[in-house]
Amino acid sequence: MTEMHLPPRPYAIAHRGASAYAPGNTLAAFRKADILGADMWEIDIRATSDGVPVVFHDAELADGQALNGLSRDELREFLPSCPDLAEVIALAAELGAGIYADIKDVDAALATLHLLQDTEINPVIIGAFSPQIVQTLQEAGSDYPVAGLVPLGADPHAHSAKADIIHLCWEHMQRPQDELTPDFFNRAFLQSKHVVIWHEEDPGRMADIRTKPVTGICSDTPQLVNPFKAPTSYPFSIVCHRGAYPIAPENTLPGLECALAGGFDYIEVDLQITSDGEVVVIHDATLDRTTDVTGLVRNHTLAQLRKLDAGVKFDPFFAGTRIPTLKEVLELLTRYSARAYLEFKSAPPAPVLKQVLDAGLLDRVFFWSFNRDFLMQLRAMSPEAQIMTRRQDYPSLAEAIADYSANLVEFLPNDDLSEIASLRGSEIRSMIAYMGDDEAVFEHMVKLRPDLFNLNSAFAFARFAKSIWSDNFYW
C-alpha cells in the first residue's frame, strides 16, 4: 500500500459529487464538485450482471429492479445518467481530482481496484461498509489505503479492524463531533489508522470538526470543508454576484448559501417589492426569465410569488426552489456570520432598512441602486448606512463620493484603476466588479489590490487566487 500521511488540512471529499447541487453519482455532480474545489469525489460502486463497475448507490432502481440483474446495456437504457466507473475515472484524471471509492457489491471490488491501478489518479482511497469487501481488497494487495465505513452503533475500532482508515458514518447523531475525543484519536493512531468522517453540511458542526486530526471530511457541499480565506498579506473580500454561479440558480437560497458555505464574505442580492409591500429577492422586474410563469413581480402578492418555481429553468434538479424573502437572506447572513450587498430594484429603502436594523445587521451590509433617489432617501434616513457608488456614473472620483457621501466606490476593469491607490488608507473602500472568468483579467485586478471583488465566478477566482498565494490559503 502507498504510504499515506495526514494532509495539512482535511481532504474535501465530495459526497457522491456535489450532491447538494446535482443528482448524486452523476458526471454533473462530479463536475460541480471540481468547480467547488473538492479534493476527492466519493463514488458508490456496484457491478452489473455482466461485471461492469458502475457508479450508483442503491441496490435497486426506482422501479424495484435489482441493478445486478441488469446488463450494462440494459442499465443504460433504464438509467442513462448512471456512469461507468471508467467514465468517472477518466473525468477525475482530466480534472485532477482524487477518488474515494465506496464499493457496495463484493463483485465490484477487484474490478474497481484494477481500474484504479491503471491510472495515475491521486489521492485514492478505496473502502466499504462490508468487512468482507475490506478483507478482499487487502488480500488482493491494494495499492491504496482501504477504509472501513462504520455504521452508527458499531464499534469503530472493531468494525474497521482490518482497514487502514476508520470512516465514521455518524451524520445522523445529534452531536457526533463530541465523540471525536483525544482518546479516540490516540487509539486510532496507535493502530496506525487514519480517520475520515461522515458527510457534514452544517456550518457550525463543520467548524468543530475541520480542526480535528482527520484525513478527510465528506460533504454534499464540499466547499464547506475548507472554505476560502484570503491571504493574511492581502485580506480582500469577495462579493458573490447573485450567489454561486454556475452552481445554483441566481438569487435563491441554494445559490446564496452555496456561496457563503464556500467562505466568501458577501452575497449580492436584488430587492423587489410585492403588491402587498413585502420585500423579495429577484433580479428582474418580470418573472419571465427565472421562474415558471410570466408577469410583473409588483403585480403579485408574496403568497402568490411563493408558489412559483424559481429553480426549474436553471436546472430540473432545483425544481421547487422558491423566490426568497429579504428576511430569509438576513437569517442566512446571521447563520454564517456573513455580509451582503443589497441592491434596491423596485423595493424602496424604508422597508429594507427596517428589516436590516431589526436583524441587527446594518454594519454587515452595503447598499446601492440605479435609482439615485433611493440612495438619497437612504442617506437621509441613515447616516450610518454603507452606500456604494459607481465610478462610471460621475465625471470624477470626488464627485462620485460626494453625491450622497458614499462609503465604497465600484470600478470596472476598464476604468482608470489608478484611482484605487488614492483610496488606500482612507475611510472609502474600493471594489472592482467583473462578471467574467478570464484569468488575465483576474491577474490584472489583484495587482491593483482593491478592498473587494464583485464577481460572477467567485469559485474560479478563488482557484486562481490559490494558485498565486498557495501557501497562504486554506481553500
Side-chain angles (χ1 to χ4, degrees):
M1 181 195 76
T2 303
E3 186 176 3
M4 190 173 196
H5 301 282
L6 192 69
R9 49 141 182 83
Y11 288 129
I13 305 171
H15 183 241
R16 305 177 196 168
S19 53
Y21 311 111
N25 282 317
T26 63
L27 297 180
F30 300 131
R31 289 192 180 97
K32 287 191 174 183
D34 177 68
I35 293 170
L36 294 172
D39 300 301
M40 307 178 73
W41 308 337
E42 186 268 344
I43 60 178
D44 301 298
I45 304 169
R46 294 187 178 276
T48 59
S49 63
D50 48 350
V52 178
V54 294
V55 178
F56 195 74
H57 180 270
D58 296 347
E60 296 179 346
L61 306 190
D63 62 2
Q65 292 188 85
L67 184 146
N68 63 7
L70 298 170
S71 70
R72 180 62 186 112
D73 287 342
E74 290 170 333
L75 178 61
R76 187 174 285 110
E77 181 179 342
F78 285 110
L79 198 66
S81 63
C82 176
D84 294 348
L85 174 59
E87 292 177 89
V88 177
I89 288 174
L91 184 63
E94 175 190 340
L95 299 177
I99 293 289
Y100 192 113
D102 178 0
I103 299 177
K104 299 298 185 183
D105 291 338
V106 67
D107 292 340
L110 295 183
T112 297
L113 182 60
H114 294 151
L115 276 172
L116 286 167
Q117 286 175 332
D118 290 337
T119 73
E120 296 182 0
I121 290 174
N122 183 60
V124 172
I125 296 172
I126 187 166
F129 277 99
S130 164
Q132 177 192 358
I133 295 176
V134 169
Q135 183 172 346
T136 297
L137 292 168
Q138 295 287 35
E139 290 176 350
S142 172
D143 293 340
Y144 310 111
V146 176
L149 280 69
V150 182
L152 190 62
D155 177 85
H157 302 284
H159 186 84
S160 58
K162 296 183 179 180
D164 307 302
I165 295 173
I166 301 172
H167 183 146
L168 304 170
C169 298
W170 289 350
E171 59 270 13
H172 297 301
M173 290 175 64
Q174 187 170 358
R175 286 189 55 85
Q177 65 269 42
D178 293 345
E179 303 301 314
L180 300 176
T181 63
D183 286 346
F184 168 79
F185 284 108
N186 287 338
R187 183 174 174 186
F189 295 156
L190 283 172
Q191 298 171 344
S192 299
K193 295 185 187 296
H194 288 252
V195 178
V196 169
I197 50 183
W198 58 88
H199 68 89
E200 182 59 71
E201 289 76 47
D202 180 80
R205 298 203 321 187
M206 186 68 82
D208 285 344
I209 62 178
R210 74 165 64 96
T211 59
K212 304 291 185 181
V214 298
T215 295
I217 303 172
C218 285
S219 182
D220 298 347
T221 56
Q223 75 279 21
L224 185 62
V225 177
N226 297 299
F228 175 86
K229 187 175 182 181
T232 55
S233 61
Y234 177 21
F236 60 83
S237 294
I238 290 177
V239 180
C240 295
H241 182 245
R242 305 183 199 169
Y245 175 85
I247 301 297
E250 66 174 60
N251 277 315
T252 63
L253 293 181
L256 298 170
E257 185 162 7
C258 177
L260 296 180
F264 302 115
D265 296 298
Y266 288 83
I267 48 176
E268 183 268 343
V269 297
D270 304 288
L271 305 178
Q272 304 277 2
I273 197 78
T274 67
S275 64
D276 52 349
E278 299 293 337
V279 182
V280 293
V281 177
I282 180 172
H283 179 272
D284 298 356
T286 65
L287 298 162
D288 306 32
R289 182 175 63 87
T290 58
T291 78
D292 56 339
V293 303
T294 60
L296 292 169
V297 175
R298 68 170 182 262
N299 290 345
H300 293 72
T301 66
L302 176 61
Q304 290 171 327
L305 291 174
R306 296 290 270 182
K307 294 177 182 178
L308 307 183
D309 193 320
V312 70
K313 275 192 173 179
F314 178 85
D315 188 320
F317 179 80
F318 291 99
T321 300
R322 302 306 173 200
I323 297 172
T325 62
L326 173 59
K327 181 175 184 292
E328 289 174 315
V329 171
L330 297 177
E331 289 170 350
L332 200 58
L333 298 187
T334 299
R335 184 181 180 209
Y336 280 89
S337 299
R339 301 175 182 273
Y341 165 7
L342 304 180
E343 181 175 339
F344 305 114
K345 294 294 189 182
S346 64
V352 174
L353 181 61
K354 182 180 186 305
Q355 288 196 45
V356 170
L357 289 171
D358 288 348
L361 293 172
L362 186 62
D363 63 339
R364 302 190 73 80
V365 303
F366 67 86
F367 305 88
W368 184 72
S369 178
F370 281 101
N371 186 332
R372 179 177 174 274
D373 290 342
F374 279 177
L375 300 177
M376 299 298 284
Q377 291 171 30
L378 176 62
R379 178 55 76 217
M381 288 186 287
S382 176
E384 299 81 17
Q386 299 285 306
I387 306 178
M388 188 192 87
T389 187
R390 298 199 311 174
R391 176 64 183 87
Q392 70 190 84
D393 296 333
Y394 296 87
S396 70
L397 179 60
E399 290 170 278
I401 295 168
D403 191 16
Y404 41 81
S405 301
N407 312 94
L408 171 66
V409 181
E410 180 184 82
F411 297 86
L412 298 177
N414 58 355
D415 286 340
D416 179 4
L417 299 181
S418 65
E419 293 180 335
I420 291 174
S422 70
L423 297 175
R424 290 197 195 112
S426 74
E427 294 181 355
I428 310 299
R429 294 185 296 163
S430 60
M431 178 170 77
I432 299 179
Y434 175 57
M435 299 299 108
D437 58 5
D438 187 330
E439 289 194 357
V441 179
F442 289 163
E443 184 175 7
H444 175 60
M445 293 193 303
V446 299
K447 287 178 179 177
L448 298 161
R449 298 178 72 88
D451 298 299
L452 300 93
F453 298 93
N454 181 14
L455 303 168
N456 209 44
S457 300
F459 287 101
F461 181 85
R463 186 184 295 272
F464 165 78
K466 180 185 176 184
S467 72
I468 61 174
W469 284 296
S470 59
D471 55 345
N472 290 305
F473 274 78
Y474 290 172
W475 191 84

